[in-house]
Amino acid sequence: MPAAALSSIVLSFEDARRVVETHARSISTPLTELVDLLASGGRVLAEPIVADRDIPPFPRSTRDGYALRAADLSPLPATLAVIAEIKAGEAVEAIPASIAPGQSAAIMTGAPVPPGADAVVMVEYTSRIGSDVQVTKGVSPGENVVPRGAEATQGSTLLIPGTRLRESAIAVAASVGKSQLRAYIRPHVAVLTTGDEIVGLDQTPGPTQIRNSNSYSLALQIQRAGGEPILLPIAPDEPKQLRSLIEQGLAADLLLMTGGVSMGRYDLVEQVLSEMQAEFFFTGAKIQPGRPVVFGRCVAGQCGADTPVRERPATYFFGLPGNPVSTMVTFELFARPILEALAGQTPATLKFLHARLKSEIRVKPGLTRFLPAILSGEFENSEVELVAWQGSGDIAATARANCYAVIPPDRDRIPAGESISVMLP
Ligand code: AMP
Ligand code: MG
């Protein structure tokens, strides 16, 4: 069949990423729902979390020891009267109204430091002699005490909407008594894998057929980025059926297609979308793997009369190259910010570490490369080495890797020992 004339927009990695980030910023936040705190891990917060009281609510001892006046500890050793014992959660009536000069109170970690005392000396530097304590080491005023309200004052905002709920954010929500939280609804992400050779896991592949792995790796990546994957049936390399499945996919909040975006005669994704009057922002990026990646959107009412775009003026789509490693990499580089924005999250920036290259790399310049690699060593001794692979179809090699080594487009040789950028998936 004659391919429609398609204009190609091939951008550098940075430019393509910028295009995606600009669109991500223009996406409005989704609807919200109430979720139990215990089920909220990984969700995106849709309400501010505010301190319901000062944190800590009392001057908190961070040690087991003696609350006292720092000025009483010179000269050393110093002997002070022990007038009380204060445990964590102590009844207010049992806390002395004041620690006078020459006095102290035995105190436990997490207990309130009584008025008059300005420091806690660790129990390790003391010996108890009847109702007195002998202290052998000085403390500065404020030592081992977190003042009331030092972490947050009542009414201050601790978490803002758009925050991804990791364990620390969940601890904050729990600390202010939120057993339920308002979170953004997870966007639906349609996954459409294409290719005459691709078969489902319920089928025995023929001698020239390949099992669908992309839908499954993508489903995990989508979940991790805050979306809910919806796997569509596998599309054959035939325009009518492909179009009908693309139309189904556009009813989701985001459509991710894999395969069918290269230059082959049966790579029909771009052609079908352009017949549907889709808008294309790029049709390639100067990267490896993943060069033929496509990013665009279908505006409601323009992309086929039947296209029910879900409560949005337009649905974004990505045509991810079919090679499994290309699919994984291009999702992380380009699809993730759009999905995060659709999920209500402030999109995260890409994070690069630096590590010392173990063995020399030689490549052709011109492309930014994200090559599966193994990061090892710790702290300042991080080392990275490419895995031996057969190219971007090599899932087994990629499964042995734990990161991507990033090679800038202007380098053709990087010697062993040089510090290079590493991207964690
Ligand atoms: P394409 O991008 O359609 O040219 O496909 C590139 C390569 O990726 C081909 O070797 C395909 O067989 C393979 N491929 C495409 N889709 C998938 C998939 N869903 N799972 C595994 N391999 C795939
Ligand atoms: Mg194909």
Side-chain angles (χ1 to χ4, degrees), residues 325 328 372 374 387 394-402:
V325 188
M328 290 177 216
I374 296 173
V387 291
D394 193 342
I395 318 176
T398 305
R400 288 193 293 275
N402 57 10

Side-chain angles (χ1 to χ4, degrees), residues 13 70 130 185 236 283 287-288 310 318 327 353-354 357 391 403:
F13 162 63
I185 287 178
T283 59
I287 58 170
Q288 192 235 351
R310 190 177 178 240
F318 285 89
T327 308
L353 310 173
H354 287 270
L357 186 62
C403 67

Side-chain angles (χ1 to χ4, degrees), residues 63-262:
R63 303 287 183 189
D64 296 321
Y66 290 86
L68 42 71
R69 294 165 173 262
D72 279 354
L73 296 186
S74 63
L76 287 169
T79 301
L80 303 174
V82 181
I83 63 162
E85 183 183 281
I86 309 167
K87 56 186 192 307
E90 191 65 83
V92 175
E93 313 81 66
I95 301 170
S98 180
I99 299 289
Q103 293 183 335
S104 73
I107 195 164
M108 314 300 146
T109 301
V113 175
D118 62 3
V120 171
V121 68
M122 289 165 69
V123 70
E124 287 85 337
Y125 304 119
T126 65
S127 33
R128 187 71 178 257
I129 306 156
S131 59
D132 288 344
V133 62
Q134 194 183 64
V135 183
T136 54
K137 193 167 181 266
V139 284
S140 332
E143 206 169 317
N144 301 323
V145 181
V146 181
R148 173 176 177 159
E151 294 166 8
T153 51
Q154 182 177 11
S156 62
T157 300
L158 305 175
L159 300 173
I160 56 169
T163 303
R164 182 65 84 84
L165 292 161
R166 301 180 209 293
E167 55 273 32
S168 51
I170 289 194
V172 167
S175 76
V176 303
K178 301 281 291 184
S179 57
Q180 288 195 313
L181 293 172
R182 197 147 275 285
Y184 289 117
I185 287 178
R186 270 190 286 245
H188 290 177
V189 182
V191 177
L192 177 57
T193 203
T194 75
D196 283 341
E197 78 281 27
I198 310 300
V199 297
L201 302 193
D202 52 345
Q203 277 172 270
T204 305
T208 58
Q209 291 180 317
I210 300 292
R211 287 198 182 93
N212 173 19
S213 61
N214 288 344
S215 296
Y216 298 91
S217 51
L218 272 178
L220 177 61
Q221 289 178 290
I222 289 164
Q223 282 167 334
R224 279 215 217 107
E228 208 173 292
I230 298 165
L231 305 197
L232 296 177
I234 296 165
D237 294 319
E238 187 280 312
K240 256 181 112 171
Q241 291 178 68
L242 181 58
R243 176 168 177 152
S244 137
L245 285 165
I246 287 177
E247 286 183 339
Q248 265 187 51
L250 288 169
D253 296 301
L254 175 66
L255 167 61
L256 300 182
M257 295 158 282
T258 82
V261 288
S262 318

